Amino acid sequence: MVFTSITFLLFFLTAFLILYYAVPARFLRARNAVAFLFSIAFYACGGVGYLFLLLFSVAANYGFGAGIGRSRGKRAKKAFLAAAVVVNVGLLGVFKYAGFVTSSLASVISGFPVLKTALPIGISFYTFQGMSYVFDVYSGSVGWAKNPLTVGLYISLFPQLVAGPIVRYADIESEIGERSFSSRDFASGAVRFMFGLGKKAILANSVGEIADGIFNRAGAYPPTAPEAWLGAAAFALQIYLDFSSYSDMAIGLGQMIGFHFKENFDYPYDSLSVTEFWRRWHMSLSTWFRDYVYIPLGGNRKGPGRQIFNLMVVWTLTGIWHGANWTFILWGVYYGVLLIIEKFLIGKRLGMIPAPVRYVGTAVAVLIGWVLFRSASISEAWEYLRSMFGASGGSLGECVYYVKEYALELVAAVLASVVPWRRIAKKLSERPLPAPVASFLPYGAAALAFLVFGIGYMRMVSGSFTPFIYFQF
Amino acid sequence: MQIKSKIGSLFVSVLFVAVLVVLFFATVFRQSEEFSFWENRNLTSFPAADTRSVMNGEYFTALEKYLSDHAAGRTTLIKLNTKIDLDVLKKPAVNGIVVEDDILLPVLDRLPASGDTVALKARAEAEIVSSHRDKVESYGGKYCYVAVPCQYVCFEDKYPTFLYNRSDYTEATSKAFFGDLESLGVDYIDMKKVIDGATDAEKLRLSSTVDNHFSIFGGYRTYREMIRVMNENGVGAPLYEEKDFDVKEVENPYLGSRGRKLFGYHPLGEKLYLMYPKETIPFTRTNGGIAVAPSVYTLPSDPYSFALYSVYMGGDIPETVVDTGREELPSVLIYGDSFTNAVESVAWVSFDKMYSLDMRYYGKMTVDEYIEQVRPDYVFCIRDYEVLIERGGNGE
């Protein structure tokens, strides 16, 4: 189920909020039970069959956490940790990568059997959350959860279940056990949710039509250079607006029910380097890999050679996490190489390059990355990149149509992606403003959110069903 | 930027939930609809659950489709969205329609104009046509294929320069297909040549600015060509000149398929016309073997409703037989898709019996079986340029 669906919006969310708040706040466990049951129902809508996998993941990670928590000896703890890694990575391996691996082998070994498994929605997200719980229990940064419902709610909580952000147990543990509810939080969450829905339904879907229009025909009809750049830029906007709107809605929903998730994006398209881009893009995933892979591998503590190796491991894994395809692996390796170049070859000289040049350089590097990400195969990506650099001519082609057709949406999409609205709002609220202005601004924002929600609902009803891009990861 | 006042935040919170609740009730208790007139399709019906579909999630996908089709205020919201796109954002294409001041055209997908595909498909299609021809000739009948240009083919030059008009594909497919028909010795009429030779004003009269089909005048010109070919091949049939018909304008506003997609928000004032023979020609008509009123037009029941292209022959009917009881005249079978309707509305006057099959809906027999059973003197297949080498869609 996606947030921008009639099923979710009018039926699921309405029923959930009414039932959740029908339980008095003092019965927090009962509210948690309502949230857990609705989360299970939410996931079951993607196919009841896959629900068993989620419940298995919850049960297994609860068991591993309990095993580590109860064990006295380091060996036993390590054994549980290793088992957790094997089981979680195994789940991903079987349900996400088995088809890719076997089909890759079949392409070189004739007759090799190809496994076909359906990809359970959100498996990458909840598996990583489950692992992070076990890792944190092992490291001692959190205690093991005595109540299985706590782990169940942590892993399955529906706002962040299928498309993140990847929440850490430490960040949410205290709120599962004790949290406050206020109309301020609810209103603030509702406003965030409505803006998120509008961002997805109005902007992401519109720029997505440009990207799809150009990329989908690229194989048979290679785009001209301006078309190719427009397509790449439109996809860059689409993936950011799509994914960040989902995070907005998740954070907003969380806030409505008393949870406070960390931000997942910090206006990544304002970055002046690739390193900065990745500090601002999908932050919950980057920090996950940093804390659970890069640092345990030795990080930068074992010399430059080992650091380069560690970086390449992390970025290859980041690529693979995004999808079972060579394009994703190449995309990850591409970023690994870029980050290594920035760190070891350019280093501090990066600061001497004028900001506009750095901005353009970063933007071009990111766009090339998105071409690798969006293409169905490496050869398709290569052909597309060739088009970007003039292999299919330089006429405007259909650019004029796309710009005329989506002029307003494109402008709004760029503004929504590069203007740091949250920071501006924060600064405004911290400034001593005249009383009428200070009191009007939040209401103005709320009114705007309702308007955006209304337009988003109109677009949602008018358009066809559009699953979120990140559901496939 | 948080609302600091408790009352204010409570108001926003309650308003948000209230909006959801109102939409929920409006959706649950809305008047049930099964058909969407503007989309010209049946709305999704409530899905039936079974173990497999619930387990793999297909049931919930179908449920979402159902709810999307039956959401509160759906038609109103889609209309509003269309109006905004047309009048506020002034998009060059709205709901898949290229909006120009004087014409509404379809947005076209690119289709491969080069390579083996066109040649292979053209050959395969021509061979099918040739087999029908052989069937007809086996009992001494005659066969002719009629290719009619659909709207985008008539008005390639009306597309804005930044939009694809498919002229490369049109040229490639027609060249390949007609070449194959010629090599197989199949008689054919290419109505595009007639349209191309017309003046701009005449082209507008023969075609339509708001619909994929030609006008009744385009249908009449096709009929003329058919009679010419029949006479050339020794099957004499009287030609009724345009002056032999009374032309009557349908007063109801004409809603073409293009305008329908825009909810009639971009009217171009085009009207539908009917052609009645001045000479009284009694006839009977059956639809699927059942006698119906002897008329080739089905007009709207009141003066306020839209008139649609289905005025001609009553729309897409699987099998129709018009019998004028003049045994001295030839009998014909016209099969194809909806482009036959405007032709048949005037052509019947020249024949003893006119059999009409819409192969998209007729399933009792194959064309060959039908031909064998009826054995008409002449058989015409009328297809439009979009499906010259296609089997899907209107090419069924």
Side-chain angles (χ1 to χ4, degrees):
Chain A
M1 199 187 312
V2 290
F3 293 160
T4 49
S5 66
I6 302 290
T7 318
F8 177 80
L9 211 55
L10 306 193
F11 291 81
F12 184 91
L13 184 59
T14 311
F16 169 70
L17 289 175
I18 289 170
L19 283 175
Y20 185 79
Y21 278 103
V23 177
R26 64 179 182 279
F27 300 122
L28 189 60
R29 284 190 168 195
R31 276 196 178 175
N32 284 348
V34 170
F36 178 68
L37 290 175
F38 267 83
S39 297
I40 294 301
F42 177 86
Y43 195 77
C45 287
V48 174
Y50 304 126
L51 180 62
F52 298 115
L53 202 62
L54 173 70
L55 293 175
F56 171 75
S57 175
V58 168
N61 285 306
Y62 168 76
F64 295 132
I68 292 168
R70 282 182 170 159
S71 304
R72 299 235 169 120
K74 199 153 187 183
R75 252 189 164 177
K77 284 179 195 286
K78 261 193 176 166
F80 279 112
L81 179 72
V85 172
V86 169
V87 168
N88 282 294
V89 173
L91 277 182
L92 280 178
V94 170
F95 288 96
K96 188 166 177 174
Y97 301 109
F100 166 65
V101 172
T102 54
S103 65
S104 298
L105 287 170
S107 65
V108 287
I109 307 166
S110 71
F112 196 90
V114 177
L115 284 177
K116 281 184 183 167
T117 49
L119 179 66
I121 296 166
I123 189 169
S124 305
F125 287 96
Y126 69 70
T127 305
F128 268 41
Q129 287 208 176
M131 280 201 276
S132 104
Y133 163 69
V134 178
F135 292 160
D136 288 351
V137 171
Y138 178 81
S139 71
S141 58
V142 296
W144 70 281
K146 311 284 183 296
N147 184 351
L149 182 65
T150 306
V151 178
L153 191 60
Y154 158 65
I155 292 178
S156 69
L157 193 60
F158 75 84
Q160 44 76 37
L161 175 58
V162 291
I166 300 168
V167 177
R168 300 290 185 84
Y169 183 66
D171 296 334
I172 201 179
E173 179 195 14
S174 60
E175 286 185 330
I176 291 176
E178 189 182 349
R179 60 187 180 274
S180 59
F181 302 92
S182 75
S183 58
R184 285 189 196 101
D185 251 0
F186 190 101
S188 186
V191 166
R192 182 86 185 253
F193 177 83
M194 289 190 284
F195 274 125
L197 185 134
K199 206 158 109 177
K200 161 69 183 161
I202 305 168
L203 302 182
N205 288 358
S206 297
V207 290
E209 284 173 23
I210 303 176
D212 289 347
I214 296 173
F215 272 93
N216 291 348
R217 72 167 173 84
Y221 309 98
T224 63
E227 284 175 336
W229 282 98
L230 178 68
F235 181 67
L237 290 171
Q238 181 199 7
I239 195 163
Y240 169 70
L241 292 166
D242 204 304
F243 195 14
S244 71
S245 70
Y246 203 91
S247 291
D248 286 337
M249 288 187 272
I251 291 167
L253 285 168
Q255 227 176 324
M256 280 192 255
I257 58 172
F259 290 100
H260 297 83
F261 305 140
K262 285 185 174 169
E263 293 295 339
N264 207 17
F265 293 90
D266 183 22
Y267 301 95
Y269 293 150
D270 290 349
S271 304
L272 296 178
S273 69
V274 173
T275 310
E276 188 185 350
F277 173 78
W278 273 103
R279 273 203 292 265
R280 291 163 160 234
W281 178 273
H282 201 176
M283 296 184 291
S284 61
L285 181 70
S286 311
T287 50
W288 196 100
F289 274 113
R290 182 197 65 199
D291 295 347
Y292 300 125
V293 180
Y294 181 68
I295 291 174
L297 281 174
N300 59 2
R301 301 186 308 273
K302 296 185 176 175
R306 180 58 187 258
Q307 191 183 355
I308 288 170
F309 172 78
N310 293 343
L311 280 169
M312 286 312 297
V313 169
V314 164
W315 286 99
T316 306
L317 289 177
T318 302
I320 295 171
W321 182 88
H322 279 84
N325 193 330
W326 289 108
T327 51
F328 293 114
I329 296 172
L330 182 63
W331 177 74
V333 170
Y334 166 78
Y335 272 112
V337 171
L338 284 183
L339 290 166
I340 288 164
I341 290 171
E342 268 190 6
K343 193 158 197 67
F344 293 99
L345 292 181
I346 304 175
K348 286 180 181 166
R349 278 170 290 183
L350 192 66
M352 289 149 66
I353 302 169
V357 176
R358 275 190 286 161
Y359 186 83
V360 172
T362 306
V364 169
V366 170
L367 287 184
I368 290 171
W370 288 136
V371 170
L372 302 177
F373 192 95
R374 174 65 175 73
S375 299
S377 65
I378 290 176
S379 60
E380 205 174 273
W382 171 245
E383 288 305 320
Y384 194 95
L385 289 171
R386 275 169 38 83
S387 293
M388 282 172 81
F389 293 97
S392 308
S395 73
L396 281 174
E398 288 178 355
C399 288
V400 180
Y401 161 67
Y402 285 121
V403 171
K404 276 177 172 256
E405 183 76 14
Y406 299 101
L408 192 69
E409 289 94 336
L410 272 171
V411 171
V414 171
L415 291 178
S417 303
V418 300
V419 177
W421 298 106
R422 278 202 311 276
R423 261 179 266 152
I424 292 171
K426 195 168 176 241
K427 273 190 182 167
L428 279 175
S429 62
E430 285 165 2
R431 258 192 201 171
L433 294 165
V437 178
S439 57
F440 167 77
L441 275 177
Y443 289 104
L448 183 64
F450 276 102
L451 178 70
V452 165
F453 179 71
I455 299 171
Y457 182 75
M458 179 185 75
R459 285 291 177 96
M460 209 177 94
V461 171
S462 298
S464 54
F465 180 58
T466 47
F468 280 92
I469 287 179
Y470 260 74
F471 269 20
Q472 58 187 295
F473 301 135
Chain B
M1 198 181 290
Q2 233 182 13
I3 294 172
K4 294 198 172 70
S5 133
K6 196 173 177 183
I7 294 174
S9 56
L10 207 58
F11 173 74
V12 170
S13 306
V14 170
L15 184 62
F16 174 73
V17 176
V19 167
L20 296 183
V21 170
V22 167
L23 289 173
F24 167 78
F25 280 110
T27 298
V28 171
F29 295 108
R30 83 195 280 259
Q31 209 175 359
S32 139
E33 276 179 278
E34 287 178 3
F35 182 76
S36 164
F37 168 79
W38 297 104
E39 293 159 275
N40 197 19
R41 70 171 174 95
N42 287 319
L43 295 173
T44 316
S45 50
F46 196 83
D50 58 59
T51 313
R52 192 181 150 275
S53 65
V54 169
M55 291 301 279
N56 66 17
E58 280 172 10
Y59 175 76
F60 300 100
T61 307
L63 183 66
E64 174 58 25
K65 212 171 170 192
Y66 168 80
L67 290 172
S68 297
D69 264 6
H70 298 269
R74 180 175 182 269
T75 306
T76 310
L77 288 169
I78 300 175
K79 279 183 172 181
L80 180 63
N81 193 45
T82 304
K83 190 89 179 143
I84 291 171
D85 284 350
L86 274 172
D87 298 339
V88 181
L89 302 177
K90 298 197 180 298
K91 295 192 172 206
V94 177
N95 297 351
I97 301 297
V98 180
V99 182
E100 292 287 297
D101 289 340
D102 56 352
I103 195 166
L104 302 174
L105 294 157
V107 173
L108 298 170
D109 293 332
R110 282 177 187 275
L111 293 172
S114 55
D116 293 341
T117 316
V118 167
L120 289 171
K121 281 175 144 183
R123 187 72 195 178
E125 197 59 35
E127 280 171 1
I128 291 170
V129 170
S130 145
S131 75
H132 294 320
R133 185 271 319 270
D134 293 346
K135 184 77 195 171
V136 176
E137 287 184 352
S138 69
Y139 62 82
K142 301 278 184 187
Y143 184 93
C144 181
Y145 185 95
V146 185
V148 293
C150 51
Q151 190 205 26
Y152 74 80
V153 174
C154 293
F155 296 109
E156 285 170 352
D157 56 331
K158 291 275 186 184
Y159 274 85
T161 50
F162 53 81
L163 273 171
Y164 178 60
N165 65 7
R166 212 181 264 175
S167 56
D168 55 345
Y169 178 80
T170 301
E171 195 186 334
T173 52
S174 55
K175 196 176 166 190
F177 181 62
F178 295 144
D180 286 327
L181 286 186
E182 280 165 22
S183 71
L184 292 165
V186 178
D187 211 2
Y188 72 92
I189 298 168
D190 179 10
M191 285 303 294
K192 185 172 184 290
K193 284 184 180 163
V194 177
I195 295 286
D196 288 346
T199 61
D200 282 354
E202 184 65 1
K203 196 193 274 188
L204 280 171
R205 188 169 173 270
L206 299 178
S207 314
S208 172
T209 57
V210 294
D211 198 278
N212 190 41
H213 305 94
F214 44 32
S215 68
I216 193 152
F217 305 114
Y220 173 77
R221 285 295 287 273
T222 309
Y223 151 76
R224 280 189 72 100
E225 291 299 309
M226 287 158 63
I227 297 295
R228 179 185 60 77
V229 168
M230 285 178 83
N231 286 311
E232 278 174 10
N233 286 299
V235 182
L239 172 69
Y240 284 70
E241 297 289 346
E242 208 170 322
K243 64 179 170 49
D244 298 326
F245 288 89
D246 280 328
V247 176
K248 195 180 162 208
E249 180 185 296
V250 178
E251 286 177 12
N252 302 58
Y254 176 28
L255 186 70
S257 55
R258 313 288 183 228
R260 195 172 184 172
K261 279 190 168 182
L262 300 177
F263 296 92
Y265 284 147
H266 194 77
L268 296 177
E270 184 177 315
K271 302 294 271 184
L272 273 182
Y273 292 90
L274 313 176
M275 294 177 79
Y276 293 101
K278 286 180 179 166
E279 173 193 337
T280 304
I281 306 173
F283 69 94
T284 60
R285 173 175 176 173
T286 56
N287 288 347
I290 298 164
V292 294
S295 172
V296 288
Y297 302 114
T298 304
L299 295 167
S301 53
D302 62 72
Y304 313 106
S305 303
F306 286 111
L308 309 173
Y309 178 77
S310 58
V311 158
Y312 301 124
M313 296 303 288
D316 301 329
I317 293 166
E319 183 207 17
T320 299
V321 181
V322 173
D323 188 350
T324 66
R326 297 172 295 174
E327 288 177 4
E328 68 280 12
L329 298 180
S331 62
V332 296
L333 163 65
I334 300 173
Y335 73 92
D337 52 46
S338 50
F339 276 84
T340 61
N341 298 346
V343 181
E344 290 160 356
S345 293
V346 290
W348 66 275
V349 297
S350 291
F351 311 123
D352 169 29
K353 284 191 183 67
M354 180 181 76
Y355 302 91
S356 163
L357 290 184
D358 187 327
M359 293 313 296
R360 296 167 302 168
Y361 304 106
Y362 185 76
K364 280 187 189 166
M365 283 179 255
T366 64
V367 178
D368 281 349
E369 285 166 351
Y370 195 89
I371 289 168
E372 181 59 41
Q373 181 179 300
V374 175
R375 296 196 163 207
D377 297 314
Y378 229 104
V379 174
F380 289 99
C381 172
I382 300 183
R383 302 280 294 276
D384 74 284
Y385 258 65
E386 189 168 15
V387 293
L388 281 184
I389 63 164
E390 291 298 329
R391 289 266 105 189
N394 262 7
E396 288 286 333

